[in-house]
Amino acid sequence: MTDTTYAPATGAPALPATKPARPFFSSGPCAKPPGWSADKLATESLGRSHRSKIGKTRLQYSIDLMRELLKLPDTHRIGIVPGSDTGAYEMAMWTMLGAKPVTALAWESFGEGWVTDAVKQLKIDPTVVRADYGQLPDLNAVDWLNDVLFTWNGTTSGVRVPNADWIPDDREGLSFADATSGVFAYDIDWTKIDVATFSWQKVLGGEGAHGVLILGPRAVERLETYTPAWPLPKVFRLVSKGKLAEGVFKGETINTPSMLAVEDAIFSLEWAKSLGEDGLIKRSDANAAALDKIVAERDWLGHLAIDPATRSKTSVCLTVEGADEALIKAMASALEKAGAAYDVAGYRDAPPGLRIWCGATVDTADIEALGPWLDWAYATAKAG
C-alpha cells in the first residue's frame, strides 16, 4: 500500500489513509503479474520473423507452458490464433457449427454475442436458453444431442458455471466453452470440453489481440469430416486438404503474431508456473473472499450474482444501492482521479454497478485496501 497524495475538494468526504499499491482492477486487459516490468521481457525474438527458428521456438514454448499449467491432456491441441478470445471463439463457430442443431446459453453480453452471430451471420436458428444478469440458466435442461455454446465465466455478469458435471460423457454434440476469464482460475475437467477459447489478457494479465484455441479429439474429428456451407475467411481456416492444419498447434500461426505480446505472455506464464495452477486458483479465491468480506460489511453493496456457488471469483460484479449510470460513472471517475482504483465501472450492457477483477495477478492486500475507497467514492458521488 502507498500513502494517499490526492487532495479532495473542500467539503468532500475524508480520504482513506492508504490506497492499493497496484490499483489495477480492470476486467481486461487485467493487472500485470506482481513484479512485472517491460525491461524484464526477453527481446531476442523481436525484429525476427515468427517463422524463424527463434520465433517458432518461443511460440511453441508459450504453448508448452499453457499446456503444463492447465494440465491439458495429450488428446487436446492448443494453438495461438488472431483476434483475442473473440477471434478464437468465432473461428470455432464458423468452422464447426452447422453439422448438428445448436443450443446457445446466454446470461450476459458475450453469450448474447454468440447468439447474435449464430442467428444473423451463420443463420442456423439455435435454441436459445437465457437467464437474466446475475442468474444462471437451468444447465440440466440442456439437450446434448445438440452442439452447445456457453461461457464458463460470465465476465460481464459475474456468473459462472459451477463445474463441468452438467456436461455428459456420452454427449453427441460438441461443448464450446468461452473460458476467457475462467482458465487458470478454476479447475476445469478437460474431458468434458471439446472446444475452449481464451486470451492472455485476462487471468494472465497479458496483452490483447491474440487468442488461444483448445481442441479436443471430437472437435478435430468434426473439422476433418464436416465442411460448412458458408465461405471461411483465411484467418479462420484450420483444415488443409481435409486434415487439421497441425502447424497451427505447433506455433505456426495463421497470421503474423506480435512477438512482443508473445514474450509478455511468456513472462506471465513463467510467473504462473512458479505458483502452479493450484496456486493461481488460491490467489483468485483469496481475492474473491477479501472482496466478499468488503461487500458483507456494507449494506449499500451487494453481489449481482446471488448464488455463491455460481458467483465468479475473477470478474466480480457488484450492485450499488440506488445506483444509476451517472452515479457509477462518478464513483469510477473519483477512484481513478485519486489513483485508488482504475476501470471499476460495470460493463456497458450490464445493470449499473461496479466490477472488480479478482484474478491471480491482483494482490489480496490491494483488494483489502479497496474497501474504504469504495466508501469514499460512494459518499463523494452521492454528495455530488
Side-chain angles (χ1 to χ4, degrees), residues 313-352:
K313 296 181 181 180
T314 55
S315 56
V316 183
C317 297
L318 305 178
T319 60
V320 175
E321 185 179 80
D324 56 15
E325 186 177 342
L327 186 137
I328 295 301
K329 184 177 180 180
M331 288 184 67
S333 177
L335 289 165
E336 180 170 347
K337 188 175 180 181
Y342 299 139
D343 311 315
V344 296
Y347 193 72
R348 60 182 180 271
D349 294 336

Side-chain angles (χ1 to χ4, degrees), residues 27-344:
S27 289
C30 301
K32 292 294 187 186
W36 180 95
S37 68
D39 59 6
K40 293 182 180 179
L41 302 185
T43 58
E44 291 81 3
S45 66
L46 305 189
R48 298 294 306 275
S49 169
H50 61 297
R51 305 291 188 196
S52 67
K53 182 178 179 180
I54 188 173
K56 288 193 288 188
T57 296
R58 297 300 278 176
L59 285 159
Q60 181 64 64
Y61 178 49
S62 68
I63 290 172
D64 291 343
L65 285 171
M66 289 185 283
R67 178 178 294 280
E68 180 181 355
L69 269 168
L70 294 174
K71 302 172 186 173
L72 203 67
D74 292 340
T75 54
H76 287 57
R77 293 165 171 84
I78 183 168
I80 299 167
V81 299
S84 193
D85 174 66
T86 300
Y89 206 80
E90 293 279 6
M91 178 182 289
M93 290 177 63
W94 282 68
T95 54
M96 285 176 266
L97 293 186
K100 284 183 173 291
V102 174
T103 295
L105 306 182
W107 61 88
E108 49 98 50
S109 59
F110 286 102
E112 284 291 350
W114 309 138
V115 171
T116 297
D117 288 347
V119 172
K120 293 188 176 181
Q121 305 302 323
L122 301 181
K123 304 184 186 306
I124 55 177
D125 192 24
T127 298
V128 181
V129 182
R130 289 186 170 91
D132 292 334
Y133 272 86
Q135 299 180 29
L136 192 68
D138 181 3
L139 301 179
N140 293 319
V142 174
D143 183 356
W144 282 99
L145 293 174
N146 298 357
D147 292 335
V148 178
L149 310 176
F150 71 98
T151 53
W152 188 278
N153 186 99
T155 311
T156 68
S157 70
V159 177
R160 63 180 172 90
V161 296
N163 47 50
D165 294 351
W166 59 287
I167 303 174
D169 292 331
D170 60 352
R171 61 191 177 278
E172 292 193 20
L174 300 181
S175 58
F176 290 75
D178 173 357
T180 194
S181 55
V183 290
F184 306 111
Y186 304 103
D187 185 14
I188 296 175
D189 181 356
W190 292 104
T191 66
K192 302 295 187 77
I193 304 300
D194 299 307
V195 180
T197 65
F198 66 93
S199 70
W200 297 327
Q201 69 199 43
K202 296 293 187 182
V203 180
L204 291 174
E207 294 302 299
H210 299 74
V212 177
L213 176 66
I214 296 175
L215 299 179
R218 300 178 71 246
V220 174
E221 180 185 21
R222 172 72 62 83
L223 285 165
E224 293 184 339
T225 58
Y226 166 69
T227 301
W230 42 80
L232 292 177
K234 179 180 178 180
V235 292
F236 284 1
R237 296 173 196 163
L238 292 169
V239 174
S240 177
K241 298 179 181 178
K243 293 293 182 181
L244 186 72
E246 295 284 2
V248 173
F249 305 93
K250 298 177 181 178
E252 298 172 13
T253 54
I254 293 174
N255 70 331
T256 305
S258 162
M259 293 308 298
L260 183 58
V262 172
E263 294 296 350
D264 182 78
I266 287 173
F267 179 95
S268 296
L269 287 161
E270 288 179 336
W271 168 80
K273 182 180 177 180
S274 72
L275 301 172
E277 185 186 36
D278 292 344
L280 295 175
I281 292 172
K282 286 179 181 178
R283 282 180 65 94
S284 290
D285 287 353
N287 290 338
L291 184 58
D292 189 53
K293 183 174 184 292
I294 290 171
V295 173
E297 293 171 347
R298 289 156 176 81
D299 57 8
W300 59 271
L301 264 182
H303 284 286
L304 183 59
I306 301 300
D307 184 358
T310 58
R311 183 181 298 155
S312 173
K313 296 181 181 180
T314 55
S315 56
V316 183
C317 297
L318 305 178
T319 60
V320 175
E321 185 179 80
D324 56 15
E325 186 177 342
L327 186 137
I328 295 301
K329 184 177 180 180
M331 288 184 67
S333 177
L335 289 165
E336 180 170 347
K337 188 175 180 181
Y342 299 139
D343 311 315
V344 296

